[in-house]
Amino acid sequence: MTALLEVAELVKHFPTKGSLFRAGPPLQAVAGVSFTVKRGEVLGLVGESGSGKSTLGNMVLRLDQPTAGRIVFDGQDITHVPDSALGAFRRRAQPIFQDPYGSLDPRMTVEQIVAEALVIHRLAQGRKAIRDQAAGLLELVGLNASQLSRYPHQFSGGQRQRIGIARAMAVKPELIVADEAVSALDVSIQAQIVNLLRDLQRRLGLAMIFISHDLAVVEYIADRVAVLYLGRIMEIAPARAIVRTPKHPYTEALLSAVPEPDPGRGRKRIVLQGELPSPTAPPSGCVFRTRCAYAISDCAKVVPELLEVAPGHRAACIRTGIL
Amino acid sequence: MTTETVQVLSPTRKPLGVRRVLRRISARVGLLITVVFLLLTVLAPLVAPYDPYDQDLSSALSPPSWIHWLGADQYGRDMLSRVLYGTRTALLAVVVADGLALVAGCTLGLLAGFFGGWVEAVIMRIVDMVLAFPYLLLALIIVAALGPGLTNSMIAIGIVYTPQYARLLRGQVLAVRQADYVRASRALGASRLRLMLRHVLPNSVTPILVMATLQAGSVVVETAGLSFLGLGAQPPSPDWGALLADGQSYFLTAWWIATFPGLAIFLVVLGFNLLGDALRDHFDPRRTA
Amino acid sequence: MTRYLVGRIGQLVLVLFGVSVIVFFTMHVLPGDVATLLLGERATLAQLASLRHQLGLDQPIFIQYFYFLLQVLQGDFGMSLRSNHAALADVLVAFPVTLQLALAALALAVVIGVPVGIIAGTRPSGLLDNLLMTATLFGVSMPIFWLGLMLLLLFGGLLGWLPIGGLMPTGLDAPRVTGMTVIDSLISGRPHLIWESLRYLTLPAVTLATIPLAMIARITRSEMLAMGSLDHVRTARAKGMPERRVILRHILRNALIPVVTVIGLQLGLLLSGAVLTETIFSLPGLGRLMVDSILSRDYPVVQAGALFIAFVFVLVNLVVDLTYGLLDPRIRRS
Amino acid sequence: MTRPLLEVRDLCVDFAGETGVVAAVAGVSFSVSRGETLVIVGESGSGKSVTSLAIMGLIPKPPGRISSGEILFHARGGGTHNLTRADARTMQQLRGAEIAMIFQEPMSALNPVYTIGDQIIETLRLHEPLSRRAARVRAIEMLALLGVPDPARRVDAYPHELSGGLRQRAMIAMALSCNPSLLIADEPTTALDVTVQAQILELISKLQRQLSMGVIFITHNLGVAAEIADRILVMYAGQTVEAAPARAIFEDTRMPYTRGLLNSIPRLGMDRDAGPLPTIPGIVPNLSEMPAGCAFHPRCAHARPEPCTVRRPDLEQVGDQHVVRCARWREIAREMS
């Protein structure tokens, strides 16, 4: 199977406010990330705040322009295609956002929201055809077609998230970028949406980039998982391998910090020391070394490469052997 | 407030609930004043007891009485009729000056937001420049350049108020552009024009409406102010500012000439302010947050 | 900090440049010819041409602007066409009158407006709040020229308590030091003079203060309400802080940040209002000077006055921004 | 067992909304002893935060109002206060000194215009006769106790200059500065990253043991609850639906809602090919449109028209210190086994 999406050495710097005449040191939100996503595959992106996972998602969708690097979608380099010529790509890749309250235009009806893509790309002609398709999309995500003329504020958070998913599905995309799509929802609603996404993904054979800070959700939904720290991939591997046999100290610490609803489970917790370094002045060598329990002096000198440690399992650590 | 109560007490974005706005007495008073004012501009010829230009030297400077309810001026013209006809100039000022500012300002704001880059930089710097100047003085200079007169004074006021709308809409573009629903629309392939017209503009209607209402009051005062200084409407036209200027020379002996036109201005402005405040409170996101 | 100041001064220069462009070009498209104005209708064509040449009016307008700019940079705005004084000198004589008026009005507005806002904001929807807010709404809706006349009518005319215009009683003047009558009187040390200068200042100051006062009261109230519902106020209460201290330390202090900005913005309002106030109370201030100069097309004075006002304006905004930094640590350290 | 520190009896809190008065909390009872951690678990709208604010006397009024119930607090001095009726002065003396509270969002819960030192010193001096200098020394000690690196320098930092984790530590330092006997923590780790959350949870447990405080910890996250709780109280739509010692909640779950919540959480290492996640259908009911009978019945797989849709179930004792609000808990237990 060929890769649907290939991202190579992607970099995003944001300017920071320095003094009046000189900009501050750039904030390195994403610092050289490469990965591929195959058709029908779900890649999970995990990281804490400041890891650059959302910026990465935005760049893949060309909602943020990369500072450097390459985005190749279905064999075509789209990194520098101007916005106005991105139409074809826009029909094939769609986002799902985190905040169910901010992601729907409060002044539009559900029909207008869901049908916007149909109008833009002329996928349906005539009022009735548009309405029928919008109704079909609502039913696809488990909502009632009779709710088409309501406004977003008349729905609950979970229902709004379904509307957002319906909007993304309108163009029949091949790639979905879901950025913390279930994080803002109540526990009992979260599972509904996770199931919906997983079901759609499987039925329609979608490729998906699932971005989340919640490792358990990511493991559940993703085929492969990339762990990000300070804008770099620390480890990338099949989901099961990431959770059962992590090869990077950061992944290990992250896993151990996840609170489990199981009071009997005694386990070793690795408490990370210190603070997240500033993304405007990342540490030399391995960016994780300042908080790593296994760090040695070499870690400050060498930038670790993302090397294969097991089939399909790669980690960026010069001491992977010790785990 | 806690997350729990928010869900109960506030829908995120309220539709324009006219009924709810009018639940407050102040809003009702404001609306009443505004409606009466608007009616008078149409009905002035019917309700005014005299022709506002008719001189009757026998009743010159006569105080309020049954014949002249609000007294008469130095030429014996009926003050009530003149004040009533003054509503027309005032409304004209609102339509022309506030309208000009609204259209020009929103266009500039949208252009700045739409093109970004240097277009935006140029527009916003000019806006800053105009705002960095006492607006009445700027209006004076513009009227001086255009020549005194009612129309020119309205145009001048319109120009002076334009930057405020430009800034409002520009801020709105900035705020709305960050919203996820606009990013979603971009990801669907919506053009910039579509984003502006379909998302930014509809979501800016309420703040523009609030500003237009509040500015309507200011516009009435400012045009009257220019007339008062002798740069706006010229005598003998029954403009409230010009009437006041007239009355100034007599105010110790014939207080009614200056008092009633001023009172009319005050009432109209109060009406717009009450209405604008009610609208603003209704839409203020902080009130529900 | 120095960097910041340098940047702001750069902005100041830019704004002044912009204002000079606006004023210069508007003044030069004015209908009417300056030479005719100066020499009268009966001047011969030759005389007019020679004067125009002398004044540089026969040059292209951009060249004229360039020369104008060169002179302005040397502090020379030309001579007033009416008074025959240097234009800038006329402006500088009139300015203290306006400054004194504006400062007095601003002081009144802040000293009364802020407490009114606090009182109303701590009792939202109460009787007192409703009363005060109705009063301030009347205040902001008041046409300033009408208010001035009514005050004059009441206190000057009917009651006769206060003078109906002017700076000082005729023939009575403190030696001019600052040009501000109250301060000059204080310097002279003569109680009678101080008393009179205050009496003459009262009505204009009250007139000019009304709108800013009402606005400051309203913004203080709404900021108090907005800040009062923030999380950190709940924290303060959760610490067991008495309500009074919560209001002063955790609500008012934070609410002052936007209030200061609004106070800064009042300056434009004050200068605009001063034009009308000075007209009503016959004060020889800058606002009145500007109106008269505009009406008589005395463009050197208009240019000098406009640039001077813009200069003061930008300077005050700078001060406001610096105050902002003092009040808000988030701005100070970034 | 010693007398509890805090007893809440049948607490009801109303809010006047635009659609009429709604009961945000409708009859909640529990108690907390010294050295014990009670975790209140619930989704949005369950009334868990309102309950905590009611204890602090910080329900915004209007629109809120404690309509009935008692909150008895046994102060260090020996006196017992009913916090629903205590006057403003008594509440002020208790807050911060005997009952302290930390909030979810440390950025907005700290005043941005004062340094964290100022805010800790302020708390200390409200309740203890300390000089500014002595209070500052104590503030630095507190920051050190909370594991803030370089406390003597950080004491002069403004909230925006600190990371989320450090801000929350400063917030806790402030809350604990007067050595309270009861700490209420309202979602204190929700806004934090998991690794920071782990640090903060560990810190709260450690300090609780050290200072032998009673802790009421509010969260929506059952994983967090499992980490820290002695006892757990599950709330749904303003009511207690199940309360028990922590282990019993997870291992002897009685309420269908609690079980639904537990099952719907994805867990690390679970078999994802076993089918979709079990879910609770439907949505959390709006407080103004509360269903008749059991509030949970529209979403409950075990609900029967009789009695679930008719009568609001009472809390029933199902085991040692284990109560559940379900009319059919016996039948359900039989069906399950």
Side-chain angles (χ1 to χ4, degrees), chain A residues 46 65 76 94 134 166 178 181 197 204 206 247 308 320:
Chain A
V46 183
Q65 183 62 33
Q76 195 201 347
Q94 280 296 304
L197 281 175
L204 308 175
L206 299 174
K247 296 291 184 201
E308 188 143 74
T320 39

Side-chain angles (χ1 to χ4, degrees), chain A residues 47-50 53 156 158-159 185-192 194-195 198 202 213-223 239-240 243-244 250 253-265 267 269-276 291, chain D residues 42-45 149 154 162-166 169 192-199 201-202 220-227 246-247 250-251 257 261-262 264-284 299:
Chain A
E48 299 184 280
S49 49
K53 54 189 191 301
S156 72
Q159 291 170 322
L185 303 173
D186 270 321
V187 184
S188 68
I189 306 301
Q190 186 173 322
Q192 296 174 1
V194 167
N195 284 341
R198 193 157 171 256
R202 291 203 170 169
H213 66 276
D214 187 335
L215 253 173
V217 174
V218 170
E219 191 218 344
Y220 180 75
I221 204 165
D223 301 309
R240 187 163 294 200
V243 171
R244 300 206 176 152
Y250 176 63
L254 203 58
L255 281 165
S256 82
V258 175
E260 289 276 317
D262 186 359
R265 205 183 67 146
R267 61 184 169 142
R269 160 153 299 160
I270 303 158
V271 174
L272 284 185
Q273 298 305 310
E275 295 280 308
L276 188 75
R291 306 173 72 192
Chain D
E43 299 182 276
S44 56
R154 291 285 165 78
L162 300 177
S163 69
L166 283 185
R169 282 169 198 261
L192 305 175
D193 280 323
V194 271
T195 55
V196 183
Q197 167 171 282
Q199 296 170 356
L201 288 179
E202 197 144 300
H220 67 279
N221 186 329
L222 279 161
V224 169
E227 300 261 329
R247 200 168 267 269
F250 293 98
E251 290 166 9
Y257 172 64
L261 276 188
L262 279 168
S264 65
I265 307 170
R267 305 186 190 201
L268 283 178
M270 76 192 285
D271 182 11
R272 68 192 205 122
D273 297 320
L277 284 171
T279 60
I280 305 177
I283 57 171
V284 179
R299 306 177 67 189

Side-chain angles (χ1 to χ4, degrees), chain B residues 21 24-34 37 94 98 161 209-221 265-282, chain C residues 133-143 211 214-215 218:
Chain B
V21 179
R24 291 169 34 169
I25 298 173
S26 58
R28 276 185 247 167
V29 174
L31 188 68
L32 182 76
I33 295 177
T34 313
F37 162 67
V94 171
D98 204 10
Y161 278 105
L209 183 73
V210 171
M211 182 176 258
T213 314
L214 291 170
Q215 299 285 45
S218 311
V219 159
V220 171
V221 179
I265 301 175
F266 169 67
L267 281 177
V268 169
V269 177
L270 185 68
F272 282 123
N273 281 344
L274 282 168
L275 205 58
D277 272 3
L279 288 173
R280 184 182 48 200
D281 287 355
H282 181 68
Chain C
M133 282 308 108
T134 311
T136 56
L137 192 73
F138 279 40
V140 290
S141 308
M142 201 68 86
I211 293 177
M215 285 188 158
R218 292 176 79 77

Side-chain angles (χ1 to χ4, degrees), chain B residues 245-264:
Chain B
D246 242 12
Q248 196 194 358
S249 344
Y250 297 93
F251 81 95
L252 287 181
T253 47
W255 55 268
W256 52 92
I257 305 183
T259 304
F260 294 114
L263 194 63

Side-chain angles (χ1 to χ4, degrees), chain C residues 231-232 234-235 237-243 245 248-250 253-254 257 327-330 332-333, chain D residues 53 56 58 92 95-96 103 108-114 119 122-123 126-127 156 158 160-161 171 174:
Chain C
D231 285 354
H232 67 77
R234 192 173 58 183
T235 307
R237 293 198 176 108
K239 290 192 214 178
M241 189 175 274
E243 194 56 26
R245 284 193 61 191
L248 289 178
R249 247 182 90 78
H250 287 278
R253 171 65 209 275
N254 297 58
I257 297 169
L327 283 171
D328 193 341
R330 285 164 295 186
R332 193 188 317 158
R333 297 205 182 174
Chain D
L53 289 178
M56 292 299 283
L58 290 177
Q92 278 162 22
R95 281 183 213 141
F103 298 96
S108 57
L110 289 166
N111 192 330
V113 306
Y114 298 114
Q119 298 184 60
E122 183 180 49
T123 317
L126 274 171
H127 300 289
D156 293 319
Y158 287 93
H160 70 275
E161 297 169 325
M171 186 76 208
M174 187 167 85

